[in-house]
Structure formats: C-alpha cells, structure tokens
Amino acid sequence: MWYAIVAEDAPNSLDKRMAARPAHLARLQALQEAGRLLLAGPFPAIDNVDPGPAGFTGSLIIAEFANLAQATAWANNDPFVSAEVYARVSVKPFRKTLPA
C-alpha cells in the first residue's frame, strides 16, 4: 500500500537540511530503485522553485510499504529526523486514484 509521509521542518533548519541531504536522498533513491517511490520533494518556504535562504517548510514523500508500522519506522529513521530538520512527521495510508 502507498503511504504519505508529511514532514514539517523545524525553524531555521536549512543548514541542517543541506548537511543531511545526501543521506536523505540515498534512502529515497533506494526506494525508487525498488519501484516503491511514487513521489518525493520539499515544500519551498516561498513561491519559488529555488527558495534560496528562505529554505523549506517540510517535505512530502509517497512510497509503498507493507503496512503502516513499516512506513512509520522508515519515516522515523530518516536522516532529516536525526539531524533535527523535521520537527514533526505524520504517516498516513494513501490511495492513489489519478492518474490511473
């Protein structure tokens, strides 16, 4: 089943985000290579693809896991969690409807 992982960044966490980004991306790449990643990306803090020093307010990841417990465990082990980039992480089941 698909799961939506919605994370909110801690205030002033851009430097931490950039430092932990390679490890964060490596985990996403592993999901993608396994065919289990639907989409992933950050929420810019301003209305711009490259927000510069304004940074980001969080992230959205939609990926496939066997169950909610596995999705939650994966999300809680993200390098952005241990680096204190994310202040809050929510994991919810997600049913993809469109595009078919």
Side-chain angles (χ1 to χ4, degrees):
M1 179 167 195
W2 295 109
Y3 292 88
I5 300 166
V6 182
E8 296 178 39
D9 282 15
N12 304 309
S13 60
L14 183 59
D15 289 340
K16 292 177 182 179
R17 176 183 271 273
M18 299 315 292
R21 189 170 187 263
H24 171 77
L25 289 178
R27 294 178 83 233
L28 293 172
Q29 281 294 128
L31 284 177
Q32 183 174 8
E33 290 167 7
R36 296 174 43 209
L37 183 66
L38 183 62
L39 64 87
F43 299 120
I46 59 173
D47 191 11
N48 194 310
V49 172
D50 180 4
F56 302 92
T57 62
S59 301
L60 170 64
I61 300 165
I62 300 181
E64 188 175 36
F65 295 92
N67 55 52
L68 180 59
Q70 286 185 10
T72 301
W74 187 91
N76 289 338
N77 285 311
D78 192 290
F80 281 178
V81 171
S82 58
E84 299 178 344
V85 174
Y86 291 158
R88 281 175 291 293
V89 178
S90 171
V91 182
K92 297 180 180 186
F94 178 81
R95 189 180 84 184
K96 181 179 180 279
T97 302
L98 293 171

